[in-house]
Amino acid sequence: MNAAIALRPQLKVRRVNLDTGRENVAVMSRRSKALRPEVFRGFSRVEVRRNAKVMLATLLITDDDSLVGPDDLGLAEPAFRRFAESPGALVTVTPAAAPDSLDAVRAKIQGHTLSAPEIGAIIEDLAHYRYSDMEIAAFLISSASFMTSSELLALTRAMAEAGTQLKWNKSIVVDKHCVGGIPGNRTSMIVVPIVAAHGLTIPKTSSRAITSPAGTADTMEVLARVDLGIEEMKEVVAACHGCLVWGGHVNLSPADDILISVERPLSIDTREQMVASIMSKKLAAGSTHLLIDLPVGPAAKLKNATEAMRLRKLFEFVGDHFGISVEVITTDGRQPIGNGIGPVLEALDVMAVLSNDRKAPPDLREKSLRLAAHLLEYDPELRGGTGYARARELLDNGAALKQMQKIIDAQGPSICRTDLGTLTADVAAPGDGVVEAIDCLRLNRLARTAGAPIDKGAGINIFKKIGDRVEKGEPLYRIYAFDRPEYDLALAAAKTDPGYLINGQRSLSDETAT
Amino acid sequence: MNAAIALRPQLKVRRVNLDTGRENVAVMSRRSKALRPEVFRGFSRVEVRRNAKVMLATLLITDDDSLVGPDDLGLAEPAFRRFAESPGALVTVTPAAAPDSLDAVRAKIQGHTLSAPEIGAIIEDLAHYRYSDMEIAAFLISSASFMTSSELLALTRAMAEAGTQLKWNKSIVVDKHCVGGIPGNRTSMIVVPIVAAHGLTIPKTSSRAITSPAGTADTMEVLARVDLGIEEMKEVVAACHGCLVWGGHVNLSPADDILISVERPLSIDTREQMVASIMSKKLAAGSTHLLIDLPVGPAAKLKNATEAMRLRKLFEFVGDHFGISVEVITTDGRQPIGNGIGPVLEALDVMAVLSNDRKAPPDLREKSLRLAAHLLEYDPELRGGTGYARARELLDNGAALKQMQKIIDAQGPSICRTDLGTLTADVAAPGDGVVEAIDCLRLNRLARTAGAPIDKGAGINIFKKIGDRVEKGEPLYRIYAFDRPEYDLALAAAKTDPGYLINGQRSLSDETAT
């Protein structure tokens, strides 16, 4: 094998200005002396090697010397960055053997159960970008049909160990997680300051929106910097007991991020994969006590109590195994929590609750207090049953707001544009009646169409909730946008289906006033 | 939805000199007005649209204006060719929705059985390049765990109907197929002229090597042109009763080619998928009578008679359903058939058999006669049991050779270099003894290392078969190559493991004479 490599012609590394997302891509000239057409085709997988360093990549072939000459090997972003060699460094290119751990994936496809070392090897290869998209899909689907409890535990542990593992030297490190899907619902930004004001450690990492109009990281970014490194995050937590940072910079369970990048487009989302994904991140984050929020509703991820209970048992099982104290609660997932949908609007809701503004959305306040109450009761010093009162006290007396300000100052100022969209339109009720249902998926989509989360000030602010009486022509919600085409699109979509059910009818209103 | 499209900024199509194999790839500037960073990332899937024409592609993003400017959309090969619009044509780009039929794939992952229309929709989308690699993998793996007989039939029919369907206006159209894996074994090139000389119609399409040192199309190309279009193929068959062309230009069951391109790297190869693949091609080719050769041996695809029988039943079941008369025979797959491994060497074997050369490999002659005998007996005019005698007659009296010459003339002259490799080395027996086994996989790999099938004259010519007595230092086979590094590699690999078992020992010989 070494003889084989020594004989291969060497190519000079060159950076190619192509952004290929997560995928490693290499570009070779069709006239390259290293190109063997029988083994290299466009989009075939290759191994790029310099001494002991090996990287797998997808190959593109060009006739254009200005892009890549016959003696060069072009590396697109992020391959160039990951390979970390200077332009001109000599490399060899060989057809990529599939990663060894793919044998275990094939065994799983054939119905075998995998051992912990086999799962560990798969996750190790995944985290080092050795799996192609189709190989990742193979692993996901082979484990979607069944996963034993030992496999689930092994997968969770392997994912947690594949990236950064945080240690806090505290006997209690609390965390909360919501499985998502509900617009608004920025409870973390209220729960963290309450819990931190009490003095418990709550180092919260959050995600950015992938398919929704805002993630907690996007909303927090309206108020403060969120792309902190590990050391910066530790300093903030040391100073404030808590933080609200983006998980993307902290490299917790990177294999999970890679799996998610294939799960989303394929919409494969099994309970086991969800639990392994969440618990691996919490395990890596060093959490000891974890509260999980499962919203239940017709447009939520969990449609009924039975689904929620099955998921709860799985979380408890994995938590027990790894010594994380897990509490799972189901919440009302029938409609948005708070009024704003989109980063700036949600940040306004959060600050209104923390400031005890009388216009603050009561549902967001109430849900946040309830979650904070559960977390506060992890404090052995706190008398049983007094968590809610303590949470309300810290919110009402301004301690939570003060703590939030401290966290914001510690994380650093926001560098985002934080004004609200200048193009606005109200979507009005088509007749008198009572709001019977609100379609969360629809509102999420409208807010995204209006420009959220990229335009932080774009989105939707809702005025009516389930049970509210409305009169014909009364506004249901307001659309905010910056970009004229997006504004037009969102408005047209809202006219077609505004996502409100009033008196048994989806309101199809033409009466929108700008 | 139409309103949405009308509002999107339009981009000008531009060809980008990148060969991306089978995959459609589009390139956009990071400064493009059509780029919405929240929905478009490197390697995300997009829809390129011009009026009613839609193409799915994988997106790359660049900052290099010389590659693609902000107003352009670059299309790499083959996307530019498939989209078939002039440079400058205006298109819109939107995030690609997953193909609708992916819902059926998700149902299959969850254990559902698919209906014929669902499978039809999947294959339709596949054949139109609407599936990404990961989506193809999802379909393959979801159906690898189980496939009902109705699903197998629906898959076969859908694949056959997705491409060209040949009609011959003959009551009998015969064909043969070998499931492969055995080096040499170029029986088709002897069977076709015998059967055609008899007057039966045998329009044979063959594949090129993907992982082997030669496919029938590669070997026939040494003697004649093989990349005929459909009309040309029909003319040859009309003139000669048969042909030996490459299937790649004829577009039979294109969905199968796409599935294979993902099956190979993942090494997923279920019986059902193999049967659907082969039978869809034969159904599309208009065959009425089909002989299937299943070689059985330790390094063959089928390891024993039980595996072969299960596969036979599956072929018979599908054949019966579609009214194709299928006959399945098992053959000796323990060692190479013929002496040559590599296109030129195999073509020499074939011509030696057809010319009744006394040095022609007897096993290749015998196996070809046996297969031809089965095919000839599909002729109702031929008296039962006389197929073998008739085949031998047509071979011995020179009719088959004459027919082969006619087919070669009709297909047109070869344009390949057809001399034998100039670098040769004999690999010698390490001691006296009897050849007990030959490792087919090993010899295939050595022949590929030496340069086959790209260098048509590279490969291996074997001198000894199982049961042959050899003396120490006597040559087992000769390696042929053109390229010095490949020659050195092949020789080094042969020294490490020549693939022969003599007296219970893998011969590890240093005594190679060049």
Side-chain angles (χ1 to χ4, degrees), chain A residues 166 168 172-180 185-196 200-208 215-221 224-230 232-238 240-252 277-279 281-293 368 371-372 375 404 407-408 411:
Chain A
L166 297 172
W168 298 102
I172 298 178
V173 178
V174 307
D175 205 346
K176 72 163 280 287
H177 189 89
C178 176
V179 300
N185 201 28
R186 284 295 147 251
T187 55
S188 290
M189 289 172 63
I190 299 163
V191 169
V192 167
I194 293 175
V195 171
L200 282 180
T201 302
I202 183 163
K204 182 91 186 87
T205 62
S206 304
S207 53
R208 291 188 186 279
T216 294
D218 303 304
T219 300
M220 184 66 187
E221 201 172 27
R225 221 188 110 213
V226 295
D227 56 343
L228 278 66
I230 290 169
E232 291 176 306
M233 173 183 171
K234 284 181 174 168
E235 280 167 31
V236 174
V237 174
C240 311
H241 303 300
C243 67
L244 282 154
V245 304
W246 175 43
H249 253 210
V250 194
N251 198 38
L252 301 175
S277 160
I278 293 168
M279 293 304 285
K281 283 222 153 69
K282 301 309 177 189
L283 198 54
S287 312
T288 62
H289 292 71
L290 173 63
L291 177 67
I292 292 175
D293 171 11
S368 301
L371 296 175
L375 291 173
M404 182 63 153
I407 292 172
I408 290 170
Q411 292 190 189

Side-chain angles (χ1 to χ4, degrees), chain B residues 401-423:
Chain B
L401 177 63
K402 209 172 131 195
Q403 197 70 20
M404 182 62 154
Q405 206 52 61
K406 203 171 161 188
I407 293 171
I408 290 171
D409 291 345
Q411 292 190 188
S414 166
I415 51 158
C416 301
R417 184 174 163 183
T418 58
D419 52 333
L420 268 178
T422 46
L423 301 170

Side-chain angles (χ1 to χ4, degrees), chain A residues 4 17-21 23 30 36 38 42-43 61-63 106 134 138 141 262 266-267 448 454 486 489, chain B residues 4 17-21 23 30 36 38 42-43 61-63 106 133-134 138 141 266-267 454 486 489:
Chain A
N17 195 320
L18 280 175
D19 171 2
T20 59
E23 195 89 3
R30 195 178 302 284
R36 302 268 317 156
E38 83 281 17
F43 252 66
I61 299 169
T62 186
D63 301 296
R106 287 188 201 108
M134 73 170 94
I141 294 155
V262 172
L266 287 179
S267 304
R448 263 187 93 90
I454 289 299
E486 290 178 336
L489 272 178
Chain B
N17 194 321
L18 280 176
D19 170 4
T20 59
E23 196 91 2
R30 196 178 302 284
R36 304 264 318 153
E38 83 281 19
F43 253 66
I61 299 171
T62 185
D63 302 295
R106 285 185 203 109
D133 277 359
M134 72 170 97
I141 294 157
L266 287 179
S267 303
I454 290 298
E486 290 178 334
L489 274 177

Side-chain angles (χ1 to χ4, degrees), chain B residues 119 123 139-140 143 147-149 151-160 253 255-257 259-260 263 269-284 311 314-315 318 322:
Chain B
I119 290 175
I123 295 302
F139 172 62
L140 281 171
S143 30
M147 196 187 281
T148 67
S149 21
E151 286 178 321
L152 171 56
L153 295 176
L155 179 62
T156 306
R157 183 189 296 277
M159 291 208 294
S253 190
D256 181 47
D257 296 338
L259 287 177
I260 286 175
E263 273 168 24
D269 201 0
T270 71
R271 285 184 298 139
E272 283 78 5
Q273 282 162 358
M274 189 198 289
V275 169
S277 161
I278 293 169
M279 294 304 285
S280 71
K281 284 222 151 71
K282 301 309 176 188
L283 199 54
L311 190 56
L314 221 47
F315 274 115
V318 175
F322 291 111

Side-chain angles (χ1 to χ4, degrees), chain B residues 188-505:
Chain B
S188 290
M189 290 173 64
I190 299 165
V191 169
V192 168
I194 293 175
V195 171
H198 179 76
L200 281 180
T201 302
I202 183 163
K204 182 91 187 82
T205 61
S206 305
S207 54
R208 290 186 186 279
I210 298 179
T211 56
S212 75
T216 294
D218 302 304
T219 300
M220 184 65 187
E221 201 171 29
V222 173
L223 307 174
R225 223 187 109 211
V226 296
D227 57 342
L228 280 65
I230 291 169
E231 291 312 314
E232 292 176 305
M233 175 184 170
K234 283 182 175 167
E235 280 168 31
V236 173
V237 174
C240 312
H241 304 298
C243 67
L244 281 154
V245 304
W246 177 42
H249 252 212
V250 195
N251 198 38
L252 301 174
S253 190
D256 181 47
D257 296 338
I258 292 171
L259 287 177
I260 286 175
S261 72
V262 173
E263 273 168 24
R264 301 271 163 145
L266 287 179
S267 303
I268 324 169
D269 201 0
T270 71
R271 285 184 298 139
E272 283 78 5
Q273 282 162 358
M274 189 198 289
V275 169
S277 161
I278 293 169
M279 294 304 285
S280 71
K281 284 222 151 71
K282 301 309 176 188
L283 199 54
S287 311
T288 62
H289 292 72
L290 173 62
L291 178 67
I292 291 174
D293 171 11
L294 303 184
V296 176
K301 281 192 186 162
L302 300 157
K303 309 295 176 210
N304 56 54
T306 310
E307 285 185 20
M309 193 189 67
R310 291 170 65 190
L311 190 56
R312 192 194 83 198
K313 305 259 171 174
L314 221 47
F315 274 115
E316 290 168 349
F317 167 73
V318 175
D320 285 354
H321 182 84
F322 291 111
I324 298 179
S325 166
V326 171
E327 195 176 356
V328 180
I329 60 170
T330 56
T331 56
D332 182 352
R334 293 173 305 149
Q335 61 179 337
I337 302 291
N339 301 330
I341 306 171
V344 171
L345 289 161
E346 293 174 12
L348 289 172
D349 278 358
V350 163
M351 293 313 289
V353 170
L354 287 171
S355 313
N356 298 304
D357 187 322
R358 63 179 182 82
K359 286 189 199 153
D363 57 345
L364 179 61
R365 172 185 158 96
E366 214 34 67
K367 181 169 178 181
S368 302
L369 285 173
R370 187 178 158 207
L371 296 174
H374 279 276
L375 290 172
L376 290 176
E377 297 220 348
Y378 292 140
D379 176 5
E381 311 276 307
L382 202 70
R383 195 171 170 83
T386 63
Y388 186 87
R390 175 66 175 144
R392 197 175 49 196
E393 180 192 349
L394 291 165
L395 184 59
D396 288 349
N397 71 12
L401 177 63
K402 209 172 131 195
Q403 197 70 20
M404 182 62 154
Q405 206 52 61
K406 203 171 161 188
I407 293 171
I408 290 171
D409 291 345
Q411 292 190 188
S414 166
I415 51 158
C416 301
R417 184 174 163 183
T418 58
D419 52 333
L420 268 178
T422 46
L423 301 170
T424 62
D426 284 358
V427 175
D432 298 353
V434 172
V435 176
E436 289 169 5
I438 300 177
D439 183 342
C440 290
L441 288 175
R442 184 72 191 163
L443 293 187
N444 269 343
R445 208 165 297 149
L446 290 175
R448 264 187 93 92
T449 306
I454 290 298
D455 293 337
K456 291 209 180 265
I460 287 177
N461 205 42
I462 65 176
F463 306 127
K464 300 293 174 186
K465 294 270 171 107
I466 292 174
D468 284 352
R469 181 159 289 282
V470 296
E471 286 174 27
K472 183 178 159 76
E474 201 180 357
L476 298 171
Y477 53 82
R478 183 169 298 165
I479 297 172
Y480 292 85
F482 287 101
D483 183 59
R484 171 65 60 178
E486 290 178 334
Y487 171 81
D488 291 341
L489 274 177
L491 202 55
K495 279 184 188 176
T496 311
D497 176 4
Y500 269 67
L501 188 76
I502 296 171
N503 287 359
Q505 287 196 304

Side-chain angles (χ1 to χ4, degrees), chain A residues 321-356:
Chain A
H321 183 84
F322 291 111
I324 299 179
S325 167
V326 171
E327 195 177 355
V328 180
I329 60 170
T330 56
T331 56
D332 183 351
R334 292 173 305 148
Q335 60 180 338
I337 302 292
N339 301 331
I341 306 172
V344 171
L345 289 160
E346 293 174 11
L348 290 172
D349 278 359
V350 163
M351 292 314 289
V353 170
L354 287 171
S355 312
N356 297 304

